Each structure stands twice: as structure tokens, then as C-alpha cells.
Amino acid sequence: MHATAMTFDAMVEHVRYEGAYPTRDRAEQAVQEVLAGLGRQLIGDERVALAARLPVEAALEFTAQVPRPEPLTGFDFVSDLAVRTGGTPATARWDAGTVFAVLARLAGEDLVSRILAQLPSGYGLLFGRAELMPTG
């Protein structure tokens, strides 16, 4: 899907449908919160490439964030999202997983793989991928 541009409204509607959000406003809130959180994690070429594939409004929210010196683990990302939104870890996990599923389609497999390689453990599951732990 990354070859096809998606409007911000279409992105929010995809998130609303996939996340079964009751209103468009709630879906848009999830998109903005998760993109802001991810914007605090990613740096470098992956940040630039993802921003280029997002609708303008989403890219602005994403790139307005200053990346942390050390990105959070997936678990800590969800915990931080819950604190920032005043929600529970379960709702933050749902929001992240739903938004990341739509982002993964916009970004494409190659970019998602590069993003996951940059981030600490725990993001694979949020992006809907199995995450194998090292055995040694």
C-alpha cells in the first residue's frame, strides 16, 4: 500500500474501523497520540522515510516530536502512552497496535523491518509481527 498515497481522513477511518473505535474523534486521538509517541523513538533515515509515507497531518505530528536519547522498549512505550493519555496499559496497547497496523501498510514491509531493527525489543508485536527472543 505504500505506493498509494492515503489522506489523513482515510488513515483515521482505517484506524477507526480496525480498532472498532466508537467515534472518528477517538480514532483521530489514537492516531495523534501513537504517532507522537513513535516520533519520540525513531531517528535517522527510518524517521525520514516513514514521515514521507504518512499523510501530511500525520507526518507533522510525528516529526514535531524530539526523539529521546534512548528509545523506550515496546513495553515502556505502551506504559508511557498510557500515562500521557490517562488511559490504561490495555487501551494504550490497543491504540498502539491498531495505529501501527495501519502504519505498517503505509510504510511497507522493508521500512517496517528497518524500523523494528532500530527500536528495542517489544515493538514487533505492536506492529503485528512475531518477535522471537534470542536463545543464548
Side-chain angles (χ1 to χ4, degrees), residues 93 109 112 116 122-133:
R93 165 68 177 86
E109 288 293 318
V112 171
L116 291 175
Y123 286 88
L125 293 174
L126 294 173
F127 274 93
R129 290 188 175 184
E131 189 162 329
L132 302 177
M133 300 304 287

Side-chain angles (χ1 to χ4, degrees), residues 46-103:
E46 290 75 20
R47 180 182 177 91
V48 172
L50 180 58
R53 294 186 186 172
L54 294 172
V56 172
E57 300 90 335
L60 290 172
E61 183 70 38
F62 172 69
T63 58
Q65 309 304 313
V66 176
R68 300 169 55 87
E70 290 293 321
L72 299 171
T73 65
F75 177 83
D76 290 336
F77 176 86
V78 169
S79 298
D80 182 65
L81 187 60
V83 168
R84 287 176 184 272
T85 62
T88 67
T91 58
R93 165 68 177 86
W94 183 263
D95 291 348
T98 302
V99 173
F100 285 168
V102 174
L103 285 183

Side-chain angles (χ1 to χ4, degrees), residues 15-37:
V15 169
R16 180 179 179 189
Y17 177 78
E18 291 184 25
Y21 292 103
T23 65
R24 184 192 185 289
D25 286 347
R26 179 61 188 97
E28 184 173 344
Q29 179 185 9
V31 168
Q32 291 172 336
E33 292 164 349
V34 172
L35 283 174

